[in-house]
Structure formats: structure tokens, C-alpha cells
Amino acid sequence: LLKEAFAMSEDTRQEDKGLTRRGFLKTSGGAALAGVAAGAMLTGSRNAFGAPIPKKWDQEVDVVILGYGTTGLPAAIEAHDAGASVLILEKLDWLGGSLLRCGGGMAGANTIVQKALGIVDDTPDKLYNYVMACGEGFVDPELVRVYADSAGKAIDWMIEALGGQPVSQWSIAEKPLSLGPGVNFGATPVFYEKYGVKPIMECHWFTPVAPKRDKTALAGGTALFKILDDATKARRIPVMLKTSLQELVATPEKEVLGVKAINGEKTMHIRAKKAVIIGTGGFIWNEQMMKKYLPSHAVGGGKGVVVVAIHQDNDHGEGILAGQAIGADLATMGHRPPDTSTVGSGGLKINTKAEVLDVYGKPIPRLYAGGRATGGLMSNQYPSCGTAVSTAVCFGRIAGRNAAKL
Ligand SMILES: Cc1cc2nc3c(=O)[nH]c(=O)nc-3n(C[C@H](O)[C@H](O)[C@H](O)COP(=O)(O)OP(=O)(O)OC[C@H]3O[C@@H](n4cnc5c(N)ncnc54)[C@H](O)[C@@H]3O)c2cc1C
């Protein structure tokens, strides 16, 4: 695993060397220079940030969704059900992102599962208070409020509307999974003592097992993935595999028009008539970003490498960087629990509509995001196993619905 992790980090380094233009964009002087240089070579009208506007688009749909994962799938389903035409671009040649490999815990309050199990005293308010406590003053209360109110509904939606496994096959974790420092799936006992808060017991499981990539084994994350994957396929929502977001295409006023993506050797421009939704996950595999935001956990630089090895190989932060290149702000960047790599390292700043905000706090028109590509919902204490998946599903749904309304 370690060998694989280092090999991947070397790949990332090589890729990053090729991305000198992106490096350029990190400074305002660089952005201007890169704009002039690229503008001279490319045909379309030049945009100050992101990719140039092409003269001709390769494809047009209402909503372009980046990432066939925990955020992208609910976004696609909701946007489709609201009447929009949708296209999902997935960087890898397999589907599912972290969802497929995750343990399958999903947090939410006041669900039909809880009711069936006789748990009647759980409320979104309790979830709100707990997630706010875990945020230790760094999280956005409005985002947490929306999350707490919609998390239980998201579980009900997956079971009732999308035909997920029957209620009787779900269970609730009796306590948050917390194995202490080193392998931390939830806030630690030290945290509870410090703040005097009670842990939530809202993590819903469908036969939890060790994470697997095998989606034929219907358990844990594979079961959650199957619900969303089946629903996406039933709607015939198209997906382009091995197609990676490179840059966003936006007007000089930063209205997002579409994306520039790469499929093998082929660069393509896809117009999003309504919106682009970023669901590309976090940045644990991007060594430069790790060094910048989480230096003590940078690949090869500490215990983070072990966690990287068992976690994602798809999180290169491309969605975050693409948003930043057109002026998006970041939230809770570098905040995260000491070891888990996939749950709260920060990312694009969003509002309660899942709109990506610029550095002045204004929504960037037609740009939405959710999941680990965003920040603001979790800080140093990961609340509990289950909150990572459910925050992604909730804001994916919100993004999909709002994008379709445009
Ligand atoms: C082993 C493991 C166990 C976990 N267990 C749990 C658990 O039980 N409960 C819980 O709540 N959380 C758990 N988590 C965390 C949780 O799974 C993640 O936080 C969550 O799934 C992330 O959702 P996401 O939509 O942000 O990213 P993902 O679901 O990973 O989706 C991102 C998708 O975008 C694609 N992509 C990336 N870059 C690009 C690009 N440039 N262009 C196009 N596509 C791109 C990726 O390939 C991927 O398919 C676990 C994670 C792991 C790895």
C-alpha cells in the first residue's frame, strides 16, 4: 500500500510539473501573464481566469456534473428529476468514488429507520448542536443548519424515493465509531470531555463491512453506491468515463459557461447551459496542496501517507483548484481530524444553496459544489462516521435541484 501511495504521489508530482500554468494562476501577476500567453494561442475570446471560451463547444447540456460519486450522483438525480438534461464527467475508469469504498455509514436524524427501531427522541436540532460543537467555532452555522435539517430526509429519500434496501435491513450505530488517535472515525473521548457534549448515535448502516471496491458485494458503501448508481442508470443519465475536469470556462464576469475536460489525449469543451456542479472530492492526493494546507500530513511527510494508501487515489483537488482559478473562496482549508483523510480538509466555500462563493462572498453564477470539494461544515473534530457521506449527499441534492431551476 505504501509503495502504491508513493508511486501515486510521484505521478501527481509529474502531473503537477506539467501544470505550470495552474501554478502560475496562483499569483495574480501569473494569472495575467498566463491569460495573455494562452489567449494568443487559443482561438476563442479570452477570459481572465479559467479556460478560454471556445468558438465551438463539443457538447451542450443543461447541467454538467463533475464526479460520479457521493455528491455527483444525488446532484445528477435531482437535476434530472427537475427536468434538466445532465451529463456526468468521471475522471476514472470506474464509478463510485469514495462512496464505493467507504464503510457505508450515513448520519441523519428523525429517519424512517429510527422510527422503525423505536428511536423517537432524535431530532435535527440534536444533530445541529453536535456538529456545531465539533466545529469548534470554525464551521458555518447556516450550512450546518441546512445539513442537520436535510440529513435524515436524505436517508429517507434513498430508501423511499430511490428504492434503497428496506428499512428492516438498516441499523443504527450504538455509539460513534471512535478508535482514538491514529484511526479516528469520529470525535475522540477527549473531545467529549472537553466540551461536555453527548455524542450522536445517528449513524445509519446497511450491513457494515470493511470497505471494498467490489460493487457486487452488497454491503456498506457498496450498498449506498448501488442505490444511487441504480437510480442514475434508471434515468439514463449519461456519464463519460476517463474524462477529467481541467478548468472551468467562464466569462470575464466569472459567469460559468461550461468546462474544459480531457479524455485521454482529447481535450473537449462542454457547455453547461444552466450550471456546473463540482463533486470531485478533496485533495489528499495532491502533494502540493497537502504541503500547503496540511504540511504535517503531506504525502511522504508523516502518518498521513498510511491513511492515503487506504483511502482515495482520486482526490487531486482539481475541482477546488478550478474553482479557485475563477475566484472562488475557500473554507476550513487544512482543518481536519488528525488522521482520517477524507472527511473534512476544507475546500470551496459554498452557501446554503450549494452555490460556490467568491472571495467577496458573492455566488459565482452557475457554479455549485458539495462534498469534500467544499469546506465549512466540518473542522478539526470529525463529528462521527456517517457525516461525511451525508453532507455530500445533502449538498449534492441541493446543488442538483438549484442548478435545474436556473
Ligand atoms: C475507506 C473509506 C471509508 C469511509 N467510510 C465512511 C463512512 O462509513 N461514512 C462516511 O460518512 N464517510 C466515510 N468515508 C468518507 C466518505 O466516503 C467521503 O467523504 C465522501 O464519500 C466524499 O464524497 P465526494 O462526493 O466529495 O467524493 P467522491 O464520492 O470520492 O466522488 C468524487 C468523484 O469525482 C471524481 N473526480 C475527481 N477528480 C475529478 C476530475 N478532475 N474530473 C472528473 N471527475 C473527478 C472521482 O474519481 C470520484 O469518482 C470513507 C472514506 C473512505 C475512503
Side-chain angles (χ1 to χ4, degrees):
L1 288 173
L2 283 171
K3 219 168 144 188
E4 201 184 329
F6 281 116
M8 184 60 77
S9 88
E10 181 55 28
D11 286 353
T12 311
R13 228 185 335 266
Q14 294 306 327
E15 277 168 25
D16 285 341
K17 275 186 195 158
L19 289 178
T20 43
R21 184 164 168 262
R22 180 170 285 160
F24 237 141
L25 290 172
K26 286 184 184 151
T27 63
S28 54
L33 282 172
V36 171
M41 290 183 298
L42 289 153
T43 49
S45 60
R46 184 57 210 166
N47 157 31
F49 306 94
I53 301 167
K55 278 194 172 160
K56 189 173 170 293
W57 297 90
D58 296 294
Q59 207 168 327
E60 278 197 5
V61 287
D62 289 335
V63 180
V64 173
I65 292 175
L66 302 162
Y68 197 99
T70 326
T71 306
L73 293 176
I77 294 165
E78 290 284 13
H80 170 277
D81 289 0
S85 62
V86 177
L87 173 65
I88 308 176
L89 307 185
E90 168 55 49
K91 173 167 88 170
L92 300 178
D93 59 359
W94 55 274
L95 302 171
S98 299
L99 184 61
L100 189 57
R101 279 173 290 176
C102 84
M106 193 170 165
N110 200 20
T111 64
I112 53 174
V113 176
Q114 289 177 321
K115 285 175 197 149
L117 291 169
I119 300 169
V120 290
D121 59 348
D122 196 17
T123 61
D125 281 349
K126 283 189 182 170
L127 180 57
Y128 171 82
N129 290 335
Y130 179 70
V131 175
M132 284 301 294
C134 291
E136 297 185 303
F138 294 106
V139 293
D140 178 341
E142 290 183 10
L143 284 187
V144 177
R145 185 72 254 176
V146 167
Y147 162 62
D149 289 341
S150 51
K153 290 178 190 154
I155 293 172
D156 290 356
W157 174 71
M158 286 175 67
I159 296 171
E160 290 183 323
L162 304 187
Q165 293 80 14
V167 167
S168 59
Q169 293 184 26
W170 291 72
S171 59
I172 308 278
E174 284 176 14
K175 56 181 178 183
L177 274 177
S178 180
L179 307 183
V183 187
N184 181 10
F185 297 124
T188 58
V190 175
F191 164 79
Y192 302 130
E193 277 164 29
K194 185 172 161 195
Y195 288 96
V197 286
K198 280 196 170 171
I200 50 164
M201 291 184 284
E202 288 161 340
C203 188
H204 292 59
W205 294 94
F206 177 78
T207 327
V209 290
K212 287 180 185 170
R213 271 195 196 183
D214 176 9
K215 69 176 176 185
T216 59
L218 196 60
T222 57
L224 296 185
F225 172 68
K226 189 173 186 320
I227 299 171
L228 295 169
D229 184 45
D230 285 353
T232 304
K233 288 185 174 136
R235 287 162 176 76
R236 298 181 185 280
I237 296 171
V239 51
M240 289 170 74
L241 289 177
K242 293 194 202 168
T243 308
S244 180
L245 163 73
Q246 296 283 290
E247 288 174 283
L248 295 163
V249 179
T251 66
E253 293 75 36
K254 291 191 240 159
E255 178 171 354
V256 172
L257 301 178
V259 301
K260 177 183 158 196
I262 185 148
N263 176 310
E265 296 291 298
K266 193 177 170 221
T267 297
M268 54 178 66
H269 292 88
I270 301 170
R271 173 91 166 97
K273 288 183 282 179
K274 288 177 185 279
V276 171
I277 300 176
I278 297 175
T280 48
F283 60 91
I284 189 77
W285 281 95
N286 184 316
E287 192 178 355
Q288 284 181 351
M289 291 178 81
M290 287 296 287
K291 279 186 180 151
K292 183 168 178 186
Y293 298 109
L294 285 162
S296 61
H297 292 75
V299 177
K303 62 186 173 182
V305 69
V306 176
V307 178
V308 163
I310 60 164
H311 283 71
Q312 294 139 292
D313 54 9
N314 47 349
D315 282 18
H316 292 266
E318 284 129 346
I320 299 171
L321 292 169
Q324 254 191 305
I326 63 161
D329 201 1
L330 301 177
T332 50
M333 213 59 190
H335 296 217
R336 68 167 191 159
D339 36 49
T340 48
S341 60
T342 59
V343 291
S345 309
L348 299 169
K349 194 168 189 174
I350 53 167
N351 63 14
T352 55
K353 294 179 181 165
E355 292 169 314
V356 176
L357 303 178
D358 70 14
V359 290
Y360 303 104
K362 285 205 323 221
I364 296 178
R366 304 182 188 282
L367 186 62
Y368 295 82
R372 304 294 75 79
T374 64
L377 276 159
M378 288 183 263
S379 181
N380 299 311
Q381 298 290 340
Y382 178 41
S384 163
C385 188
T387 42
V389 165
S390 66
T391 46
V393 172
C394 288
F395 280 90
R397 292 185 72 195
I398 292 168
R401 283 198 294 258
N402 287 328
K405 272 190 215 154
L406 292 175

